[in-house]
Amino acid sequence: METIKTDLLIIGAGSGGLSVAAGASQMGADVVLLEGHKMGGDCLNYGCVPSKALIASAKSAYAMSHAAPLGVGNESPQVDYAAAKDHVADVIAQIEPMDSQDRFEGFGVRVIREFGRFVSDDTVEAGAHRITARRIIIATGSSPFVPPIPGLDTVPYLTNESLWELRERPEHLLVIGGGPIGMEMAQAHVRLGSRVTVIEGAKALGKDDPEMAEVVLEKLREEGIEIAEEALAKEIRGEAGAIEVEVEDGRVFRGSHVLVAVGRKANTDKLDLDKAGIKTTRTGIEVDASLKTTNKKVYAIGDAAGGLQFTHVAGYHAGVVIRSALFGLPAKAKTSHIPWATYTQPELAQVGLTEAQARKEHGINLEVHRFPYHHNDRAIAERKTRGLIKIMVVKGKPVGASIAGHQAGELISMWSLAIANGLKMSQISGMVAPYPTISELNKRVAGAYFTPRLFENDRVKKVVRFVQRWLP
């Protein structure tokens, strides 16, 4: 067995692990990276990248059949599901080199294609290698959670990992789970010609602001997606092409395929964490504000840390641990400025507190301001007027923003910037957006904050009248 000593050992070559490896190696650290499966992790191979590629195919099909409002004749798209999956594979292939072993070895990283497991507080074994490191980063990500629904193990089912292997379009896709993954794939498939039923045990898009979620759900229902809420799966039965899902209240849903999209679980089972004195929680590895585990030589980042499960969070965590592990400087991870988006059409995005959370936390100090898409000229021009933006403001500073509508995932970034830097609404209103753009919505909702202060304020009006009398 080869014995290796290094400055930094990273377990997992997903987005978080790769970010740490690239940064640390280029700043002079000796880095070893372990990956027992695919370079790029879930995001590149099974998550963000393939799902957005399939959504792009679905958008194209939908645009062809809904062009009449723009003066272009509707056409029935000839969907080739296998070709759409080829498009997905090609997108992955184009991005893959950025996450490749060759590229990271070019940075000076020692890449070992094996799973790792702890044998002590600072040592990990991976295949024929025994690696001791000053600091260890656990970046093992997460995988689909498959619930113990009676009968599920007797029928063929899909997850976000196996879905991409499917080459024939499902005739009727049953989606168990009404979260972001479930709703994105539901809309993509109905637009590609499948019948789709979403079966959700509570409320669809239940982690988002209900007012904003309803904007999206209304559109999905209009497109023909059946959304069954308060429908907790009780039993699954059948065979390939003929599957039944029975829910607790007795309803039975029948389809040809079933996609399980009820959440994700941190990948920690193979690590032997107890041998390193590392504690876990119900959702992942226990970490403090600096992302250190209960073993102070070991950090956990991204999905493995058990918090928000987004690729951009893993990338953010990478910057936090580089500051701490490489430079020994204090660094803490925050969540108040972390945005997330659901890439349905219309999109759904959130950063900071929702309205309900803000009311609970700030009470009478909270102000809520809205601005609808149908007053945005670019949205009108493109027939994208469904949606609104809503901001939560406390003492002149935004503490949360919720957006449902066209390009919501793009618009939310400005509010993340504002919250991360403690910007005031006066500073945001000073921003100038080019006309006509969807981004003017951010400017206009900031204006909505000042409207009652400037245009509905008798004191302001008296001051203006007084000044006007004395102006030459």
Side-chain angles (χ1 to χ4, degrees):
M1 179 171 287
E2 181 185 5
T3 300
I4 302 171
K5 291 188 177 181
T6 188
D7 296 327
L8 202 63
L9 170 62
I10 302 163
I11 307 174
S15 57
L18 292 177
S19 295
V20 176
S25 61
Q26 291 179 92
M27 284 189 276
D30 187 22
V31 179
V32 174
L33 174 65
L34 303 181
E35 177 51 65
H37 193 34
K38 293 185 177 183
M39 296 289 290
D42 182 83
C43 179
L44 172 64
N45 297 289
Y46 309 115
C48 319
V49 171
S51 64
K52 302 314 165 282
L54 191 68
I55 286 170
S57 296
K59 282 184 178 179
S60 181
Y62 184 81
M64 288 182 66
S65 59
H66 293 77
L70 298 171
V72 179
N74 290 340
E75 294 288 343
S76 296
Q78 302 301 307
V79 174
D80 184 334
Y81 189 76
K85 288 298 182 66
D86 290 340
H87 157 67
V88 170
D90 181 64
V91 169
I92 294 172
Q94 289 189 49
I95 298 173
E96 215 166 26
M98 296 297 293
D99 294 349
S100 68
Q101 181 172 338
D102 286 347
R103 180 168 183 256
F104 280 80
E105 288 176 340
F107 292 145
V109 178
R110 172 81 182 271
V111 181
I112 298 173
R113 301 300 292 273
E114 299 281 357
F115 289 106
R117 61 182 183 86
F118 284 90
V119 294
S120 73
D121 64 341
D122 65 351
T123 303
V124 171
E125 285 189 358
H129 311 277
R130 188 180 181 94
I131 308 143
T132 300
R134 290 187 177 87
R135 295 290 183 269
I136 299 173
I137 314 294
I138 301 173
T140 48
S142 64
S143 54
F145 172 65
V146 180
I149 304 170
L152 182 58
D153 58 347
T154 68
V155 302
Y157 65 87
L158 302 164
T159 67
N160 79 294
E161 292 184 354
S162 57
L163 175 63
W164 312 112
E165 301 169 6
L166 189 65
R167 302 287 294 177
E168 294 185 5
R169 180 178 61 201
E171 179 184 341
H172 187 167
L173 181 64
L174 303 176
V175 181
I176 300 179
I181 294 174
M183 302 315 293
E184 287 178 1
M185 290 300 95
Q187 187 178 41
H189 279 82
V190 81
R191 289 179 165 192
L192 292 171
S194 299
R195 290 179 59 200
V196 178
T197 300
V198 176
I199 303 165
E200 166 57 44
K203 294 292 185 183
L205 298 174
K207 292 185 178 180
D208 284 280
D209 182 298
E211 180 183 12
M212 316 308 276
E214 187 53 37
V215 173
V216 175
L217 296 175
E218 180 183 53
K219 179 65 164 63
L220 299 186
R221 292 187 179 101
E222 287 178 9
E223 291 191 22
I225 300 172
E226 180 185 8
I227 302 174
E229 297 179 302
E230 306 295 344
L232 188 64
K234 175 184 178 182
E235 182 183 358
I236 298 179
R237 52 186 177 262
E239 58 187 19
I243 297 173
E244 293 184 349
V245 178
E246 182 176 349
V247 300
E248 290 288 354
D249 63 10
R251 285 177 287 173
V252 177
F253 301 92
R254 297 175 177 85
S256 60
H257 296 71
V258 61
L259 170 65
V260 178
V262 296
R264 303 184 63 78
K265 58 182 179 65
N267 294 327
T268 60
D269 294 346
K270 298 178 180 179
L271 294 171
D272 287 349
L273 296 173
D274 56 322
K275 294 181 180 178
I278 298 171
K279 295 181 180 180
T280 60
T281 67
R282 184 179 60 84
T283 57
I285 296 172
E286 182 180 320
V287 295
D288 63 15
S290 64
L291 301 172
K292 288 182 179 179
T293 69
T294 47
N295 176 342
K296 298 309 176 185
K297 296 180 180 180
V298 180
Y299 298 80
I301 65 174
D303 290 7
L308 295 172
Q309 294 181 325
F310 304 108
T311 296
H312 51 280
V313 173
Y316 165 64
H317 282 176
V320 173
V321 300
I322 284 176
R323 180 182 174 90
S324 177
L326 264 63
F327 298 100
L329 298 172
K332 293 183 178 181
K334 302 184 296 180
T335 59
S336 61
H337 66 305
I338 301 294
W340 66 85
T342 300
Y343 298 97
T344 48
Q345 193 175 16
E347 293 180 355
L348 182 61
Q350 175 70 40
V351 66
L353 302 177
T354 64
E355 181 178 355
Q357 291 168 339
R359 289 196 183 283
K360 182 177 180 180
E361 185 170 329
H362 295 286
I364 61 173
N365 292 320
L366 174 69
E367 295 181 56
V368 179
H369 297 276
R370 296 169 170 81
F371 195 84
Y373 268 67
H374 65 252
H375 286 319
N376 176 271
D377 293 355
R378 183 63 177 271
I380 294 170
E382 297 194 12
R383 305 288 189 183
K384 305 289 187 183
T385 55
R386 185 191 300 257
L388 74 152
I389 179 171
K390 176 166 65 172
I391 55 167
M392 280 53 71
V393 184
V394 175
K395 297 180 180 179
K397 292 184 177 181
V399 297
S402 306
I403 310 175
H406 185 52
Q407 295 185 1
E410 308 292 337
L411 294 174
I412 203 69
S413 296
M414 195 206 74
W415 297 102
S416 172
L417 173 70
I419 293 172
N421 292 281
L423 299 184
K424 297 178 180 179
M425 294 301 294
S426 57
Q427 293 168 300
I428 295 168
S429 69
M431 177 268 291
V432 177
Y435 175 87
T437 56
I438 298 295
S439 63
E440 285 185 286
L441 285 161
N442 285 332
K443 170 84 171 181
R444 295 295 296 274
V445 76
Y449 169 79
F450 286 103
T451 294
R453 290 166 168 78
L454 296 176
F455 306 130
E456 300 169 11
N457 188 314
D458 288 340
R459 184 178 179 183
V460 171
K461 292 178 180 178
K462 289 179 181 178
V463 169
V464 170
R465 286 195 294 267
F466 176 80
V467 170
Q468 290 300 309
R469 283 199 299 268
W470 293 98
L471 281 177

